[in-house]
Amino acid sequence: MKKYLAALICGFGAGVLQIVPLVKSFSCCMILPLAASISLLLDQRATRNFGKIPMKKALLFGLFTGLFAALFGSVFELLITFITKNNDVIASFTDLQRIVQNLPLSEEIKKEVLNIFQSVREDILKNGFSILYTFSVILNNFIVNSIFGSVGGLVGAQIINSRLSNQSNGK
Amino acid sequence: MEWLTKIDEHFVFVLPFLQKTFSLVCHQEKNKLLFFDGAETLACARCTGIYLGLLISSVLVLFKLSKKKFHINILLIASVPMIVDVLLTSLNIYTYSKLIAFSTGLLLGSIGFFYLYAGLNNLILELKR
């Protein structure tokens, strides 16, 4: 666990940035790749090993950063939803209705989709919890964050390693 | 999304799921989304640019049209327009333009892919050893 402490710290940061209201509005596709790259830099400083980073290690660090971000992100999101009984699903429900109504679909399908999301919305408003919403949050967070984290780890290591090569070439 | 529902109406069931997926990696502010044929994108103009840039570069690499190896400074230079645009629009020095956001994202995405590609290549080489 200690080995991946840097990934844990950066994953926590990225998870918070993705979820917490207001801060979330600064969210961008670069947050997780940046967090994964920073975790590699933090690990270098912690272990005082400033040599080339093996790509396998970079991939693992990126993956763990993504997984920790997903873990913290999911917990925070579900907790905030449970306490406030409100979230972006409820906020965007009217938009969703508008989008679905504008799509060239049969009335039956439109009604079915809107019924599902109406039931999710009602569950959240009433209990602060919905099984479908919880499942979608967990699945989404773990898949997306692990992909973006792994990409960030690989690109970050590539950048750090080329900087090292430049320094050694300059000497 | 509309083109997906043209293939099969049932794709509409994944619309909220996709919206949630993209909300993890993009703020999805209404005034920053792109519109195509009356339908809006799920990511903002800048993120759409980044993803499209990645896609274009990956197609170029796939068909061996480009095997460029970029110096690290190129990535830094490619990220400067985006950082400057984010800073200047955040400080209200000029108003947000979807075209500028999209173009700066496209530039970074298309150059950034070559670093990911190099990283993947190095990873495969390492695993083969």
Side-chain angles (χ1 to χ4, degrees):
Chain A
M1 186 66 193
K2 204 180 165 189
K3 197 177 162 191
Y4 295 106
L5 191 65
L8 177 77
I9 295 165
C10 295
F12 176 81
V16 169
L17 283 175
Q18 280 181 331
I19 301 305
V20 175
L22 294 176
V23 183
K24 196 181 171 180
S25 60
F26 295 102
S27 160
C28 165
C29 50
M30 303 302 280
I31 285 180
L32 254 167
L34 274 176
S37 308
I38 294 168
S39 80
L40 288 170
L41 286 171
L42 272 182
D43 183 65
Q44 273 194 328
R45 282 183 182 261
T47 55
R48 297 187 183 279
N49 176 4
F50 296 99
K52 270 199 165 188
I53 302 169
M55 284 297 154
K56 221 164 106 180
K57 182 187 170 183
L59 182 73
L60 278 174
F61 261 79
L63 183 67
F64 275 99
T65 307
L67 290 176
F68 285 129
L71 179 72
F72 289 116
S74 302
V75 170
F76 286 141
E77 178 149 15
L78 296 173
L79 205 64
I80 289 170
T81 303
F82 186 71
I83 295 167
T84 61
K85 293 190 168 129
N86 194 3
N87 61 21
D88 46 1
V89 169
I90 290 168
S92 64
F93 187 71
T94 44
D95 275 341
L96 188 80
Q97 272 181 315
R98 182 183 48 82
I99 294 168
V100 172
Q101 289 298 350
N102 290 337
L103 288 172
L105 304 167
S106 65
E107 283 306 313
E108 195 188 334
I109 293 258
K110 281 182 189 176
K111 204 177 158 191
E112 214 175 319
V113 174
L114 291 174
N115 277 345
I116 291 172
F117 292 99
Q118 182 66 37
S119 73
V120 170
R121 184 176 177 263
E122 277 167 13
D123 279 347
I124 292 169
L125 283 172
K126 200 174 158 193
N127 312 314
F129 177 81
S130 151
I131 292 174
L132 192 63
Y133 178 71
T134 305
F135 175 72
S136 112
V137 163
I138 293 172
L139 192 72
N140 254 325
N141 280 0
F142 276 88
I143 293 175
V144 174
N145 288 356
S146 44
I147 293 171
F148 276 72
S150 306
V151 167
L154 288 176
V155 175
Q158 197 62 28
I159 293 169
I160 296 166
N161 288 348
S162 19
R163 212 177 54 185
L164 283 172
S165 307
N166 287 348
Q167 280 172 357
S168 55
N169 286 344
K171 276 177 191 171
Chain B
M1 190 63 212
E2 205 172 326
W3 62 271
L4 265 178
T5 55
K6 278 175 190 164
I7 301 167
D8 190 314
E9 281 194 336
H10 293 89
F11 275 117
V12 73
F13 287 98
V14 296
L15 171 66
F17 189 75
L18 281 177
Q19 270 190 327
K20 184 84 195 130
T21 305
F22 279 90
S23 76
L24 283 174
V25 287
C26 180
H27 50 70
Q28 295 181 314
E29 269 178 52
K30 272 260 158 293
N31 57 333
K32 294 181 179 175
L33 300 179
L34 293 175
F35 284 84
F36 291 110
D37 203 16
E40 58 199 21
T41 52
L42 292 169
C44 70
R46 198 181 313 279
C47 291
T48 307
I50 293 174
Y51 299 136
L52 195 67
L54 286 166
L55 180 72
I56 292 170
S57 295
S58 63
V59 169
L60 288 178
V61 168
L62 186 70
F63 292 107
K64 298 187 174 151
L65 295 173
S66 176
K67 269 198 170 181
K68 274 192 184 336
K69 272 194 174 179
F70 289 108
H71 190 272
I72 185 68
N73 289 343
I74 305 288
L75 182 68
L76 299 177
I77 292 165
S79 64
V80 169
M82 196 179 94
I83 294 167
V84 170
D85 185 43
V86 169
L87 282 175
L88 295 183
T89 50
S90 303
L91 295 170
N92 282 327
I93 292 173
Y94 65 79
T95 40
Y96 176 87
S97 153
K98 286 181 188 178
L99 182 69
I100 297 174
F102 178 79
S103 317
T104 55
L106 189 76
L107 178 70
L108 183 65
S110 48
I111 301 287
F113 175 78
F114 290 94
Y115 289 85
L116 174 63
Y117 180 64
L120 281 170
N121 265 338
N122 289 340
L123 176 70
I124 292 165
L125 285 174
E126 251 177 48
L127 293 174
K128 271 185 184 171
R129 256 181 240 150

